Amino acid sequence: MSGKVIRNYFKSLKFRLLSLFLILGILSGIAVRIGVLTAYEKRVINNRSIEVLSQSKILATQIVSMDYIHNLSSETITSQLQQLSQIYDGRVMLIDDTFRIVEDTYDLDENRTIISEEVVRCLRGEETSRYDKENHYIEMTIPLTRKNLDTSESLVIGALLVSVSTDSIVANLDDMRQRALVIQLISGMCLFALGMFLSMRLTNPLKKMADSIEEIQMGKDANDGKLMVTDCYETARISDRFNRLFGRMKLLDDSRQEFVSNVSHELKTPLTSMKVLADSLNGQEDVPVELYREFMVDIGNEIERENKIINDLLSLVRMDKSAADLNITSVSINELLDLILKRLKPIAEKKHVDLVLESFRPVTAEVDEVKLTLAISNLVENAIKYNREGGWVHVSLNADYQYFYLKVEDSGIGIPEDSLDHIYERFYRVDKSHSREIGGTGLGLAITRSSILMHRGAIKVFSTEGEGTLFTVRIPLNYIS
Ligand code: ADP
């Protein structure tokens, strides 16, 4: 359990934010520390070099003017050379133009020859300065030049080699380095605390969101069952989208529940009738055969009705499936209409309704024959069912280069205006008892509409109560998947 908590923590946004904060903080701290210390070191070394160089140059001028290099008798210069070497904790050597060390403040190498790159360059008149970081000293050479009064040319008569220790500077820098490290450690700890706080603050809206969703899931209606995390723009947006999605799901769930209760009710009605009929027969003694027959006919009708409801429900379920379940073939719509009307002719004749088909042109389209037949049959059957005695039904077919158009018009009872929006709903009937009398289930138009939409088509209805109804259907000739 605790292992899971730890694993979750490492995977969390909080941990990532904290790590990012720490990495950025520590890296920038290190960069600043190293940058500042390096710049400081450079500056201090530079200052020391300039200082020593200027002192040495003054001394060099004096050495040249007193010709000290050839005559070491000047006490002042000797003591000045000693002073320079003491002040800067270094060594000063005076070299003549034959690379011989004339004077060494360490008294170690006098009269020896010194040939180094710096000395050679210096005796050529070049001034050199070099910082040996590893061995902690600065070495510089200053040429001793005299002007030839006749030719006014500069003549190098020797070199002053000064090397000063940078031990004190290095010690200073080490001390600073240690202090900076301590400061960085302390600031690292502060950074950690701040990072913890900030990462918690930043991820708090997400935590709030997860908690609220959990509450909604458990049915606690804190905010009227809505997600309301408006701490920042992003969470407000997610809350809004979540509420919309949740609302749609609730609506779907409500409609599913309503559908289930409607289905149960519709299926129960014929069963109840059959039970009443059977009970009344069973409850009587010496029932005449005629009454038995009559009741059995009624029971038979109820069974037929139950069967029709179940068949319609199955059709509807098939229509609810995805468009991939369509069995598309090239079908002659003229022939399809002929067949449908032929099948429905007996019902129309029974009601003395005149059924007419008008085809303006031959039409072949890519459709699912079974599903489209069901859709058109329902429309024509309704036009006959909800008609008056001796009325008419006109079915017409036309097409352009893109769609075919079907019209089913009748001279029937019409549909009230306030019902027009509902007729495609499952189990909706304008007049429940009338529809039931003529064998309606309230599913026909729902099936029709689903089928047409699956074909990427459209259906419209126009109706005037007492005068008649017109359904128009438009379906693409070529199936668009
Ligand atoms: P039903 O099985 O009851 O006919 P439908 O879904 O096919 O169910 O139709 C829904 C309702 O719309 C019907 O009950 C009826 O009241 C009305 N209706 C459908 N077609 C017509 C029409 N051509 N004329 C008048 N009313 C119609």
Side-chain angles (χ1 to χ4, degrees):
M1 177 69 192
S2 69
K4 201 178 166 199
V5 171
I6 293 170
R7 236 177 300 132
N8 281 347
Y9 179 71
F10 284 128
K11 271 166 75 182
S12 69
L13 189 63
K14 205 193 287 184
F15 174 71
R16 287 176 201 188
L17 279 173
L18 177 66
S19 311
L20 189 74
F21 197 71
L22 281 181
I23 289 170
L24 285 180
I26 290 171
L27 282 184
S28 55
I30 291 174
V32 168
R33 183 164 58 87
I34 293 176
V36 167
L37 285 172
T38 313
Y40 178 74
E41 183 181 8
K42 221 170 155 182
R43 201 191 150 109
V44 173
I45 296 291
N46 209 22
N47 281 351
R48 175 64 56 93
S49 305
I50 291 168
E51 210 178 304
V52 175
L53 192 69
S54 65
Q55 297 275 345
S56 309
K57 273 185 174 168
I58 295 168
L59 206 56
T61 321
Q62 285 179 0
I63 290 169
V64 174
S65 67
M66 295 185 80
D67 197 22
Y68 184 74
I69 202 156
H70 297 120
N71 175 16
L72 305 173
S73 60
S74 170
E75 289 278 322
T76 337
I77 293 186
T78 313
S79 74
Q80 271 183 9
L81 285 171
Q82 285 297 338
Q83 249 178 31
L84 185 68
S85 125
Q86 270 163 20
I87 293 171
Y88 296 108
D89 186 17
R91 183 178 186 182
V92 185
M93 284 194 258
L94 193 60
I95 300 152
D96 69 10
D97 53 0
T98 62
F99 297 95
R100 191 174 62 88
I101 300 169
V102 179
E103 179 146 358
D104 174 7
T105 52
Y106 276 18
D107 292 332
L108 291 173
D109 294 321
E110 273 166 8
N111 291 321
R112 287 201 184 154
T113 303
I114 179 166
I115 300 176
S116 70
E117 193 196 327
E118 280 80 15
V119 174
V120 173
R121 275 167 56 199
C122 184
L123 286 177
R124 276 195 210 131
E126 220 177 289
E127 196 177 284
T128 69
S129 178
R130 178 171 71 88
Y131 173 44
D132 188 330
K133 199 170 177 170
E134 231 163 78
N135 300 309
H136 305 177
Y137 70 86
I138 309 169
E139 190 184 82
M140 55 189 81
T141 55
I142 302 108
L144 304 172
T145 47
R146 178 191 291 157
K147 272 230 165 83
N148 188 329
L149 293 173
D150 301 332
T151 58
S152 76
E153 260 180 23
S154 289
L155 194 72
V156 181
I157 56 162
L160 197 62
L161 184 115
V162 186
S163 45
V164 290
S165 162
T166 54
D167 276 347
S168 60
I169 296 174
V170 170
N172 225 337
L173 271 167
D174 280 347
D175 184 52
M176 278 179 79
R177 258 186 210 111
Q178 267 177 18
R179 276 166 203 257
L181 203 68
V182 172
I183 291 171
Q184 203 183 356
L185 278 176
I186 294 169
S187 65
M189 281 190 261
C190 295
L191 216 65
F192 180 73
L194 193 68
M196 285 286 268
F197 172 72
L198 278 180
S199 62
M200 216 146 80
R201 278 292 304 254
L202 286 172
T203 53
N204 207 29
L206 295 179
K207 187 182 170 298
K208 246 175 153 178
M209 197 168 258
D211 290 347
S212 295
I213 292 175
E214 209 171 303
E215 274 179 16
I216 292 171
Q217 200 185 354
M218 288 190 313
K220 284 187 199 162
D221 272 7
N223 279 316
D224 199 19
K226 284 207 166 111
L227 189 62
M228 296 279 251
V229 185
T230 48
D231 299 39
C232 49
Y233 171 71
E234 286 83 357
T235 54
R237 199 159 160 229
I238 295 175
S239 297
D240 179 51
R241 295 291 136 94
F242 173 87
N243 290 334
R244 280 194 216 177
L245 183 71
F246 196 58
R248 252 180 44 202
M249 278 166 59
K250 254 184 167 159
L251 224 69
L252 263 170
D253 193 49
D254 288 352
S255 100
R256 192 182 54 84
Q257 273 184 17
E258 195 190 315
F259 180 63
V260 170
S261 92
N262 279 341
V263 168
S264 333
H265 177 77
E266 294 295 330
L267 289 176
K268 253 176 87 178
T269 319
L271 286 177
T272 316
S273 305
M274 283 188 262
K275 173 116 178 72
V276 170
L277 288 164
D279 280 354
S280 70
L281 281 183
N282 288 335
Q284 288 177 46
E285 274 178 30
D286 303 326
V287 186
V289 182
E290 293 76 36
L291 199 66
Y292 253 114
R293 281 215 183 97
E294 197 191 321
F295 276 30
M296 284 319 275
V297 169
D298 288 346
I299 288 176
N301 286 341
E302 292 301 334
I303 291 172
E304 204 176 291
R305 181 169 167 69
E306 184 91 33
N307 210 15
K308 187 165 176 6
I309 296 172
I310 291 169
N311 281 337
D312 277 2
L313 276 171
L314 286 174
S315 300
L316 197 66
V317 169
R318 263 180 235 127
M319 295 293 175
D320 268 354
K321 284 192 181 162
S322 68
D325 293 308
L326 280 179
N327 180 21
I328 302 290
T329 50
S330 193
V331 176
S332 158
I333 307 297
N334 308 72
E335 284 174 23
L336 189 100
L337 286 178
D338 273 339
L339 227 80
I340 293 172
L341 263 63
K342 210 170 174 182
R343 214 164 30 80
L344 293 174
K345 201 111 203 162
I347 317 175
E349 276 168 2
K350 217 161 132 191
K351 253 195 122 176
H352 306 290
V353 170
D354 193 16
L355 190 54
V356 184
L357 171 64
E358 199 177 2
S359 290
F360 288 96
R361 64 189 75 231
V363 178
T364 308
E366 292 172 357
V367 292
D368 181 317
E369 194 171 350
V370 177
K371 291 193 171 77
L372 191 68
T373 304
L374 206 59
I376 300 172
S377 299
N378 281 336
L379 288 179
V380 182
E381 206 178 321
N382 278 351
I384 300 168
K385 275 192 320 194
Y386 301 102
N387 219 315
R388 57 179 165 79
E389 276 280 322
W392 50 261
V393 173
H394 285 172
V395 180
S396 73
L397 173 68
N398 206 347
D400 57 20
Y401 66 100
Q402 211 178 352
Y403 299 101
F404 73 87
Y405 304 90
L406 192 78
K407 282 185 187 172
V408 180
E409 196 170 5
D410 65 59
S411 59
I413 57 172
I415 302 166
E417 211 180 322
D418 53 348
S419 293
L420 283 174
D421 285 341
H422 303 287
I423 52 171
Y424 302 109
E425 288 169 14
R426 293 170 298 195
F427 296 115
Y428 181 82
R429 280 155 287 189
V430 175
D431 181 345
K432 248 189 162 108
S433 59
H434 178 229
S435 166
R436 192 176 139 72
E437 242 170 61
I438 52 179
T441 59
L443 295 171
L445 285 181
I447 296 169
T448 301
R449 186 168 173 270
S450 290
S451 165
I452 291 168
L453 292 185
M454 274 176 108
H455 285 89
R456 312 269 180 252
I459 180 167
K460 276 187 193 159
V461 60
F462 307 90
S463 187
T464 314
E465 235 184 319
E467 281 184 21
T469 307
L470 165 68
F471 279 95
T472 62
V473 174
R474 189 194 70 188
I475 291 177
L477 291 170
N478 298 310
Y479 178 68
I480 313 156
S481 57

